[in-house]
Amino acid sequence: MKIVLLSLVTTTLILGSCSKPVESVIRTEPNATPTEVDYSRVKIRDTSLSRRINILSVVESTSADLLKVQVNLRNSSRSPTTIQYAFEWFDKDGFNARADKRWLTKTIRSGEITTIAAVADNPSAVDFFFNMKKSDK
């Protein structure tokens, strides 16, 4: 019984030390004045993921007639979470401005605040969807 208990404690300590949370420092009065976006354009396809990953803000701007978007996320879980994400770009009439949707993978450590940014590759893109799902990998 003592050996089993000792094994459980040792295993818990080893597994618990594998995932160290990230501490983030954020300026209390930021100098940047981003243009925030309505969150309805953000889709989280997995409800368990929405409990782990918090969307802090979504901002957009334009540069050289191209739409730029940045999504700020926090992993509020106690373990790293690997996500897949993709941006979809739409023209002024609501049609998809890009034929393919490229899914990319990102691992966010426990407690980490991270940004995912993209720039439309077509000047006709005036709107977007940001899609996120838990990675199969």
Side-chain angles (χ1 to χ4, degrees):
M1 181 68 171
K2 289 181 182 179
I3 294 174
V4 172
L5 184 59
L6 182 61
S7 296
L8 279 172
V9 170
T10 304
T11 303
T12 303
L13 289 174
I14 290 171
L15 290 177
S17 65
C18 292
S19 174
K20 296 181 181 177
V22 175
E23 298 298 328
S24 299
V25 177
I26 300 173
R27 185 185 295 249
T28 55
E29 294 182 31
N31 294 327
T33 54
T35 303
E36 297 219 12
V37 175
D38 178 13
Y39 285 43
S40 66
R41 291 191 267 185
V42 179
K43 295 180 189 176
I44 300 180
R45 298 179 181 271
D46 181 346
T47 55
S48 68
L49 181 62
S50 66
R51 290 189 294 269
R52 300 172 67 100
I53 302 295
N54 304 116
I55 299 168
L56 302 177
S57 63
V58 181
V59 295
E60 69 178 23
S61 69
T62 54
S63 176
D65 292 330
L66 296 175
L67 181 61
K68 296 189 315 183
V69 177
Q70 177 176 300
V71 180
N72 301 307
L73 307 170
R74 176 188 296 134
N75 181 355
S76 60
S77 73
R78 294 183 180 191
S79 60
T81 301
T82 302
I83 62 168
Q84 288 183 304
Y85 65 92
F87 284 90
E88 291 181 78
W89 305 99
F90 298 92
D91 67 14
K92 66 180 178 61
D93 297 317
F95 287 96
N96 199 320
R98 182 191 217 171
D100 64 331
K101 179 170 37 172
R102 300 178 195 143
W103 287 95
L104 301 171
T105 302
K106 182 173 184 82
T107 299
I108 308 170
R109 297 186 329 203
S110 173
E112 182 178 9
I113 295 174
T114 190
T115 61
I116 296 175
V119 179
D121 56 3
N122 186 335
S124 68
V126 297
D127 207 354
F128 71 94
F129 281 157
F130 173 72
N131 298 278
M132 180 172 53
K133 63 183 179 179
K134 193 169 181 182
S135 178
D136 300 330
K137 299 176 184 177

PDB file of all heavy atoms in Angstrom, residues 87-114:
ATOM      1  N   PHE A  87      -8.097  31.788 -41.022  1.00  0.00           N
ATOM      2  CA  PHE A  87      -8.837  33.002 -41.340  1.00  0.00           C
ATOM      3  C   PHE A  87      -9.543  32.794 -42.673  1.00  0.00           C
ATOM      4  O   PHE A  87      -8.988  32.190 -43.587  1.00  0.00           O
ATOM      5  CB  PHE A  87      -7.891  34.205 -41.465  1.00  0.00           C
ATOM      6  CG  PHE A  87      -7.406  34.716 -40.145  1.00  0.00           C
ATOM      7  CD1 PHE A  87      -6.251  34.218 -39.569  1.00  0.00           C
ATOM      8  CD2 PHE A  87      -8.101  35.715 -39.481  1.00  0.00           C
ATOM      9  CE1 PHE A  87      -5.793  34.694 -38.359  1.00  0.00           C
ATOM     10  CE2 PHE A  87      -7.642  36.204 -38.266  1.00  0.00           C
ATOM     11  CZ  PHE A  87      -6.488  35.693 -37.705  1.00  0.00           C
ATOM     12  N   GLU A  88     -10.759  33.304 -42.764  1.00  0.00           N
ATOM     13  CA  GLU A  88     -11.489  33.338 -44.027  1.00  0.00           C
ATOM     14  C   GLU A  88     -11.724  34.811 -44.347  1.00  0.00           C
ATOM     15  O   GLU A  88     -12.109  35.583 -43.468  1.00  0.00           O
ATOM     16  CB  GLU A  88     -12.830  32.615 -43.908  1.00  0.00           C
ATOM     17  CG  GLU A  88     -12.716  31.119 -43.749  1.00  0.00           C
ATOM     18  CD  GLU A  88     -14.081  30.465 -43.668  1.00  0.00           C
ATOM     19  OE1 GLU A  88     -14.718  30.292 -44.718  1.00  0.00           O
ATOM     20  OE2 GLU A  88     -14.509  30.164 -42.546  1.00  0.00           O
ATOM     21  N   TRP A  89     -11.494  35.192 -45.585  1.00  0.00           N
ATOM     22  CA  TRP A  89     -11.605  36.579 -46.008  1.00  0.00           C
ATOM     23  C   TRP A  89     -12.788  36.731 -46.960  1.00  0.00           C
ATOM     24  O   TRP A  89     -13.000  35.888 -47.826  1.00  0.00           O
ATOM     25  CB  TRP A  89     -10.310  37.013 -46.689  1.00  0.00           C
ATOM     26  CG  TRP A  89      -9.114  36.793 -45.818  1.00  0.00           C
ATOM     27  CD1 TRP A  89      -8.242  35.744 -45.876  1.00  0.00           C
ATOM     28  CD2 TRP A  89      -8.681  37.608 -44.743  1.00  0.00           C
ATOM     29  NE1 TRP A  89      -7.284  35.864 -44.907  1.00  0.00           N
ATOM     30  CE2 TRP A  89      -7.524  37.007 -44.190  1.00  0.00           C
ATOM     31  CE3 TRP A  89      -9.139  38.795 -44.177  1.00  0.00           C
ATOM     32  CZ2 TRP A  89      -6.833  37.546 -43.118  1.00  0.00           C
ATOM     33  CZ3 TRP A  89      -8.445  39.339 -43.102  1.00  0.00           C
ATOM     34  CH2 TRP A  89      -7.305  38.716 -42.592  1.00  0.00           C
ATOM     35  N   PHE A  90     -13.531  37.843 -46.810  1.00  0.00           N
ATOM     36  CA  PHE A  90     -14.733  38.070 -47.609  1.00  0.00           C
ATOM     37  C   PHE A  90     -14.697  39.458 -48.243  1.00  0.00           C
ATOM     38  O   PHE A  90     -14.212  40.415 -47.622  1.00  0.00           O
ATOM     39  CB  PHE A  90     -15.985  37.935 -46.738  1.00  0.00           C
ATOM     40  CG  PHE A  90     -16.132  36.565 -46.150  1.00  0.00           C
ATOM     41  CD1 PHE A  90     -15.616  36.263 -44.901  1.00  0.00           C
ATOM     42  CD2 PHE A  90     -16.772  35.557 -46.864  1.00  0.00           C
ATOM     43  CE1 PHE A  90     -15.726  34.990 -44.371  1.00  0.00           C
ATOM     44  CE2 PHE A  90     -16.885  34.284 -46.333  1.00  0.00           C
ATOM     45  CZ  PHE A  90     -16.368  33.998 -45.091  1.00  0.00           C
ATOM     46  N   ASP A  91     -15.243  39.552 -49.461  1.00  0.00           N
ATOM     47  CA  ASP A  91     -15.301  40.842 -50.151  1.00  0.00           C
ATOM     48  C   ASP A  91     -16.547  41.618 -49.707  1.00  0.00           C
ATOM     49  O   ASP A  91     -17.323  41.147 -48.870  1.00  0.00           O
ATOM     50  CB  ASP A  91     -15.239  40.660 -51.671  1.00  0.00           C
ATOM     51  CG  ASP A  91     -16.464  39.975 -52.259  1.00  0.00           C
ATOM     52  OD1 ASP A  91     -17.507  39.858 -51.573  1.00  0.00           O
ATOM     53  OD2 ASP A  91     -16.377  39.542 -53.414  1.00  0.00           O
ATOM     54  N   LYS A  92     -16.747  42.800 -50.274  1.00  0.00           N
ATOM     55  CA  LYS A  92     -17.842  43.688 -49.849  1.00  0.00           C
ATOM     56  C   LYS A  92     -19.226  43.098 -50.085  1.00  0.00           C
ATOM     57  O   LYS A  92     -20.194  43.496 -49.451  1.00  0.00           O
ATOM     58  CB  LYS A  92     -17.730  45.045 -50.536  1.00  0.00           C
ATOM     59  CG  LYS A  92     -17.926  45.022 -52.028  1.00  0.00           C
ATOM     60  CD  LYS A  92     -17.803  46.420 -52.614  1.00  0.00           C
ATOM     61  CE  LYS A  92     -17.951  46.428 -54.106  1.00  0.00           C
ATOM     62  NZ  LYS A  92     -19.216  45.959 -54.602  1.00  0.00           N
ATOM     63  N   ASP A  93     -19.325  42.118 -50.977  1.00  0.00           N
ATOM     64  CA  ASP A  93     -20.609  41.469 -51.256  1.00  0.00           C
ATOM     65  C   ASP A  93     -20.817  40.196 -50.433  1.00  0.00           C
ATOM     66  O   ASP A  93     -21.828  39.513 -50.604  1.00  0.00           O
ATOM     67  CB  ASP A  93     -20.710  41.131 -52.748  1.00  0.00           C
ATOM     68  CG  ASP A  93     -20.682  42.381 -53.607  1.00  0.00           C
ATOM     69  OD1 ASP A  93     -21.360  43.370 -53.241  1.00  0.00           O
ATOM     70  OD2 ASP A  93     -19.966  42.382 -54.631  1.00  0.00           O
ATOM     71  N   GLY A  94     -19.849  39.866 -49.569  1.00  0.00           N
ATOM     72  CA  GLY A  94     -19.965  38.688 -48.714  1.00  0.00           C
ATOM     73  C   GLY A  94     -19.435  37.408 -49.331  1.00  0.00           C
ATOM     74  O   GLY A  94     -19.550  36.342 -48.738  1.00  0.00           O
ATOM     75  N   PHE A  95     -18.842  37.513 -50.513  1.00  0.00           N
ATOM     76  CA  PHE A  95     -18.263  36.328 -51.148  1.00  0.00           C
ATOM     77  C   PHE A  95     -16.858  36.086 -50.622  1.00  0.00           C
ATOM     78  O   PHE A  95     -16.127  37.037 -50.297  1.00  0.00           O
ATOM     79  CB  PHE A  95     -18.205  36.501 -52.674  1.00  0.00           C
ATOM     80  CG  PHE A  95     -19.548  36.403 -53.320  1.00  0.00           C
ATOM     81  CD1 PHE A  95     -20.280  37.551 -53.606  1.00  0.00           C
ATOM     82  CD2 PHE A  95     -20.097  35.160 -53.626  1.00  0.00           C
ATOM     83  CE1 PHE A  95     -21.523  37.467 -54.197  1.00  0.00           C
ATOM     84  CE2 PHE A  95     -21.341  35.071 -54.209  1.00  0.00           C
ATOM     85  CZ  PHE A  95     -22.063  36.224 -54.499  1.00  0.00           C
ATOM     86  N   ASN A  96     -16.491  34.815 -50.561  1.00  0.00           N
ATOM     87  CA  ASN A  96     -15.166  34.440 -50.091  1.00  0.00           C
ATOM     88  C   ASN A  96     -14.126  34.994 -51.060  1.00  0.00           C
ATOM     89  O   ASN A  96     -14.168  34.726 -52.256  1.00  0.00           O
ATOM     90  CB  ASN A  96     -15.058  32.912 -49.985  1.00  0.00           C
ATOM     91  CG  ASN A  96     -13.931  32.476 -49.110  1.00  0.00           C
ATOM     92  OD1 ASN A  96     -12.856  33.052 -49.140  1.00  0.00           O
ATOM     93  ND2 ASN A  96     -14.174  31.457 -48.315  1.00  0.00           N
ATOM     94  N   ALA A  97     -13.187  35.770 -50.543  1.00  0.00           N
ATOM     95  CA  ALA A  97     -12.175  36.419 -51.368  1.00  0.00           C
ATOM     96  C   ALA A  97     -10.963  35.528 -51.596  1.00  0.00           C
ATOM     97  O   ALA A  97     -10.030  35.912 -52.276  1.00  0.00           O
ATOM     98  CB  ALA A  97     -11.741  37.733 -50.721  1.00  0.00           C
ATOM     99  N   ARG A  98     -10.988  34.338 -51.017  1.00  0.00           N
ATOM    100  CA  ARG A  98      -9.866  33.413 -51.169  1.00  0.00           C
ATOM    101  C   ARG A  98     -10.442  32.015 -51.365  1.00  0.00           C
ATOM    102  O   ARG A  98     -11.319  31.591 -50.631  1.00  0.00           O
ATOM    103  CB  ARG A  98      -9.012  33.455 -49.912  1.00  0.00           C
ATOM    104  CG  ARG A  98      -7.805  32.596 -49.967  1.00  0.00           C
ATOM    105  CD  ARG A  98      -7.212  32.532 -48.590  1.00  0.00           C
ATOM    106  NE  ARG A  98      -5.777  32.522 -48.639  1.00  0.00           N
ATOM    107  CZ  ARG A  98      -5.024  32.647 -47.590  1.00  0.00           C
ATOM    108  NH1 ARG A  98      -5.574  32.860 -46.419  1.00  0.00           N
ATOM    109  NH2 ARG A  98      -3.736  32.580 -47.686  1.00  0.00           N
ATOM    110  N   ALA A  99      -9.915  31.302 -52.319  1.00  0.00           N
ATOM    111  CA  ALA A  99     -10.471  29.988 -52.667  1.00  0.00           C
ATOM    112  C   ALA A  99     -10.168  28.914 -51.624  1.00  0.00           C
ATOM    113  O   ALA A  99     -10.962  28.015 -51.407  1.00  0.00           O
ATOM    114  CB  ALA A  99      -9.938  29.534 -54.025  1.00  0.00           C
ATOM    115  N   ASP A 100      -9.039  29.005 -50.955  1.00  0.00           N
ATOM    116  CA  ASP A 100      -8.668  27.960 -49.991  1.00  0.00           C
ATOM    117  C   ASP A 100      -8.597  28.537 -48.580  1.00  0.00           C
ATOM    118  O   ASP A 100      -8.369  29.719 -48.388  1.00  0.00           O
ATOM    119  CB  ASP A 100      -7.330  27.313 -50.373  1.00  0.00           C
ATOM    120  CG  ASP A 100      -6.182  28.298 -50.303  1.00  0.00           C
ATOM    121  OD1 ASP A 100      -6.411  29.505 -50.510  1.00  0.00           O
ATOM    122  OD2 ASP A 100      -5.054  27.866 -50.044  1.00  0.00           O
ATOM    123  N   LYS A 101      -8.806  27.660 -47.618  1.00  0.00           N
ATOM    124  CA  LYS A 101      -8.687  28.031 -46.208  1.00  0.00           C
ATOM    125  C   LYS A 101      -7.511  27.247 -45.643  1.00  0.00           C
ATOM    126  O   LYS A 101      -7.536  26.026 -45.651  1.00  0.00           O
ATOM    127  CB  LYS A 101      -9.985  27.709 -45.465  1.00  0.00           C
ATOM    128  CG  LYS A 101      -9.915  28.055 -43.999  1.00  0.00           C
ATOM    129  CD  LYS A 101     -11.229  27.979 -43.250  1.00  0.00           C
ATOM    130  CE  LYS A 101     -12.161  26.895 -43.624  1.00  0.00           C
ATOM    131  NZ  LYS A 101     -13.301  26.790 -42.721  1.00  0.00           N
ATOM    132  N   ARG A 102      -6.495  27.930 -45.196  1.00  0.00           N
ATOM    133  CA  ARG A 102      -5.288  27.275 -44.689  1.00  0.00           C
ATOM    134  C   ARG A 102      -5.350  27.152 -43.172  1.00  0.00           C
ATOM    135  O   ARG A 102      -5.363  28.153 -42.459  1.00  0.00           O
ATOM    136  CB  ARG A 102      -4.046  28.077 -45.072  1.00  0.00           C
ATOM    137  CG  ARG A 102      -3.874  28.219 -46.553  1.00  0.00           C
ATOM    138  CD  ARG A 102      -2.662  29.064 -46.880  1.00  0.00           C
ATOM    139  NE  ARG A 102      -2.737  29.464 -48.270  1.00  0.00           N
ATOM    140  CZ  ARG A 102      -2.346  30.640 -48.712  1.00  0.00           C
ATOM    141  NH1 ARG A 102      -1.839  31.518 -47.897  1.00  0.00           N
ATOM    142  NH2 ARG A 102      -2.451  30.921 -49.988  1.00  0.00           N
ATOM    143  N   TRP A 103      -5.379  25.910 -42.688  1.00  0.00           N
ATOM    144  CA  TRP A 103      -5.372  25.659 -41.246  1.00  0.00           C
ATOM    145  C   TRP A 103      -3.929  25.623 -40.768  1.00  0.00           C
ATOM    146  O   TRP A 103      -3.098  24.907 -41.317  1.00  0.00           O
ATOM    147  CB  TRP A 103      -6.065  24.339 -40.913  1.00  0.00           C
ATOM    148  CG  TRP A 103      -7.553  24.414 -41.056  1.00  0.00           C
ATOM    149  CD1 TRP A 103      -8.291  24.064 -42.140  1.00  0.00           C
ATOM    150  CD2 TRP A 103      -8.478  24.885 -40.078  1.00  0.00           C
ATOM    151  NE1 TRP A 103      -9.625  24.287 -41.911  1.00  0.00           N
ATOM    152  CE2 TRP A 103      -9.776  24.790 -40.648  1.00  0.00           C
ATOM    153  CE3 TRP A 103      -8.350  25.382 -38.785  1.00  0.00           C
ATOM    154  CZ2 TRP A 103     -10.914  25.172 -39.963  1.00  0.00           C
ATOM    155  CZ3 TRP A 103      -9.507  25.755 -38.105  1.00  0.00           C
ATOM    156  CH2 TRP A 103     -10.764  25.655 -38.686  1.00  0.00           C
ATOM    157  N   LEU A 104      -3.630  26.405 -39.729  1.00  0.00           N
ATOM    158  CA  LEU A 104      -2.302  26.432 -39.120  1.00  0.00           C
ATOM    159  C   LEU A 104      -2.409  25.923 -37.689  1.00  0.00           C
ATOM    160  O   LEU A 104      -3.477  25.960 -37.083  1.00  0.00           O
ATOM    161  CB  LEU A 104      -1.741  27.857 -39.147  1.00  0.00           C
ATOM    162  CG  LEU A 104      -1.616  28.475 -40.544  1.00  0.00           C
ATOM    163  CD1 LEU A 104      -1.261  29.946 -40.437  1.00  0.00           C
ATOM    164  CD2 LEU A 104      -0.592  27.721 -41.366  1.00  0.00           C
ATOM    165  N   THR A 105      -1.294  25.466 -37.142  1.00  0.00           N
ATOM    166  CA  THR A 105      -1.269  24.886 -35.797  1.00  0.00           C
ATOM    167  C   THR A 105      -0.431  25.756 -34.871  1.00  0.00           C
ATOM    168  O   THR A 105       0.604  26.275 -35.271  1.00  0.00           O
ATOM    169  CB  THR A 105      -0.687  23.462 -35.853  1.00  0.00           C
ATOM    170  OG1 THR A 105      -1.483  22.685 -36.747  1.00  0.00           O
ATOM    171  CG2 THR A 105      -0.701  22.802 -34.485  1.00  0.00           C
ATOM    172  N   LYS A 106      -0.907  25.898 -33.635  1.00  0.00           N
ATOM    173  CA  LYS A 106      -0.172  26.670 -32.620  1.00  0.00           C
ATOM    174  C   LYS A 106      -0.409  26.038 -31.258  1.00  0.00           C
ATOM    175  O   LYS A 106      -1.533  25.690 -30.926  1.00  0.00           O
ATOM    176  CB  LYS A 106      -0.649  28.121 -32.609  1.00  0.00           C
ATOM    177  CG  LYS A 106       0.106  29.003 -31.624  1.00  0.00           C
ATOM    178  CD  LYS A 106      -0.312  30.441 -31.798  1.00  0.00           C
ATOM    179  CE  LYS A 106       0.483  31.368 -30.915  1.00  0.00           C
ATOM    180  NZ  LYS A 106       1.781  31.719 -31.462  1.00  0.00           N
ATOM    181  N   THR A 107       0.656  25.892 -30.478  1.00  0.00           N
ATOM    182  CA  THR A 107       0.547  25.409 -29.108  1.00  0.00           C
ATOM    183  C   THR A 107       0.662  26.600 -28.165  1.00  0.00           C
ATOM    184  O   THR A 107       1.590  27.406 -28.282  1.00  0.00           O
ATOM    185  CB  THR A 107       1.651  24.375 -28.792  1.00  0.00           C
ATOM    186  OG1 THR A 107       1.486  23.265 -29.681  1.00  0.00           O
ATOM    187  CG2 THR A 107       1.547  23.890 -27.349  1.00  0.00           C
ATOM    188  N   ILE A 108      -0.301  26.707 -27.262  1.00  0.00           N
ATOM    189  CA  ILE A 108      -0.334  27.798 -26.294  1.00  0.00           C
ATOM    190  C   ILE A 108      -0.116  27.199 -24.908  1.00  0.00           C
ATOM    191  O   ILE A 108      -0.883  26.332 -24.482  1.00  0.00           O
ATOM    192  CB  ILE A 108      -1.678  28.551 -26.351  1.00  0.00           C
ATOM    193  CG1 ILE A 108      -1.977  28.973 -27.794  1.00  0.00           C
ATOM    194  CG2 ILE A 108      -1.642  29.763 -25.426  1.00  0.00           C
ATOM    195  CD1 ILE A 108      -3.378  29.493 -27.989  1.00  0.00           C
ATOM    196  N   ARG A 109       0.923  27.636 -24.239  1.00  0.00           N
ATOM    197  CA  ARG A 109       1.243  27.079 -22.917  1.00  0.00           C
ATOM    198  C   ARG A 109       0.256  27.573 -21.866  1.00  0.00           C
ATOM    199  O   ARG A 109      -0.434  28.568 -22.058  1.00  0.00           O
ATOM    200  CB  ARG A 109       2.668  27.448 -22.527  1.00  0.00           C
ATOM    201  CG  ARG A 109       3.682  26.857 -23.483  1.00  0.00           C
ATOM    202  CD  ARG A 109       5.102  27.063 -23.092  1.00  0.00           C
ATOM    203  NE  ARG A 109       5.349  28.285 -22.363  1.00  0.00           N
ATOM    204  CZ  ARG A 109       6.517  28.881 -22.296  1.00  0.00           C
ATOM    205  NH1 ARG A 109       7.540  28.386 -22.914  1.00  0.00           N
ATOM    206  NH2 ARG A 109       6.676  29.987 -21.593  1.00  0.00           N
ATOM    207  N   SER A 110       0.206  26.868 -20.766  1.00  0.00           N
ATOM    208  CA  SER A 110      -0.696  27.206 -19.669  1.00  0.00           C
ATOM    209  C   SER A 110      -0.465  28.645 -19.211  1.00  0.00           C
ATOM    210  O   SER A 110       0.668  29.044 -18.938  1.00  0.00           O
ATOM    211  CB  SER A 110      -0.449  26.244 -18.508  1.00  0.00           C
ATOM    212  OG  SER A 110      -1.196  26.637 -17.383  1.00  0.00           O
ATOM    213  N   GLY A 111      -1.520  29.434 -19.160  1.00  0.00           N
ATOM    214  CA  GLY A 111      -1.430  30.814 -18.701  1.00  0.00           C
ATOM    215  C   GLY A 111      -0.905  31.793 -19.735  1.00  0.00           C
ATOM    216  O   GLY A 111      -0.902  32.989 -19.493  1.00  0.00           O
ATOM    217  N   GLU A 112      -0.471  31.313 -20.870  1.00  0.00           N
ATOM    218  CA  GLU A 112       0.141  32.184 -21.874  1.00  0.00           C
ATOM    219  C   GLU A 112      -0.896  33.056 -22.573  1.00  0.00           C
ATOM    220  O   GLU A 112      -1.987  32.609 -22.899  1.00  0.00           O
ATOM    221  CB  GLU A 112       0.871  31.340 -22.917  1.00  0.00           C
ATOM    222  CG  GLU A 112       1.572  32.151 -23.982  1.00  0.00           C
ATOM    223  CD  GLU A 112       2.327  31.301 -24.983  1.00  0.00           C
ATOM    224  OE1 GLU A 112       2.178  30.060 -24.972  1.00  0.00           O
ATOM    225  OE2 GLU A 112       3.071  31.881 -25.780  1.00  0.00           O
ATOM    226  N   ILE A 113      -0.523  34.308 -22.799  1.00  0.00           N
ATOM    227  CA  ILE A 113      -1.289  35.206 -23.642  1.00  0.00           C
ATOM    228  C   ILE A 113      -0.525  35.288 -24.954  1.00  0.00           C
ATOM    229  O   ILE A 113       0.678  35.532 -24.970  1.00  0.00           O
ATOM    230  CB  ILE A 113      -1.424  36.600 -23.010  1.00  0.00           C
ATOM    231  CG1 ILE A 113      -2.239  36.509 -21.722  1.00  0.00           C
ATOM    232  CG2 ILE A 113      -2.052  37.586 -23.984  1.00  0.00           C
ATOM    233  CD1 ILE A 113      -2.306  37.793 -20.939  1.00  0.00           C
ATOM    234  N   THR A 114      -1.225  35.057 -26.052  1.00  0.00           N
ATOM    235  CA  THR A 114      -0.571  35.046 -27.346  1.00  0.00           C
ATOM    236  C   THR A 114      -1.434  35.760 -28.376  1.00  0.00           C
ATOM    237  O   THR A 114      -2.620  35.993 -28.143  1.00  0.00           O
ATOM    238  CB  THR A 114      -0.283  33.591 -27.806  1.00  0.00           C
ATOM    239  OG1 THR A 114       0.554  33.607 -28.954  1.00  0.00           O
ATOM    240  CG2 THR A 114      -1.557  32.839 -28.104  1.00  0.00           C
TER     241      THR A 114
END
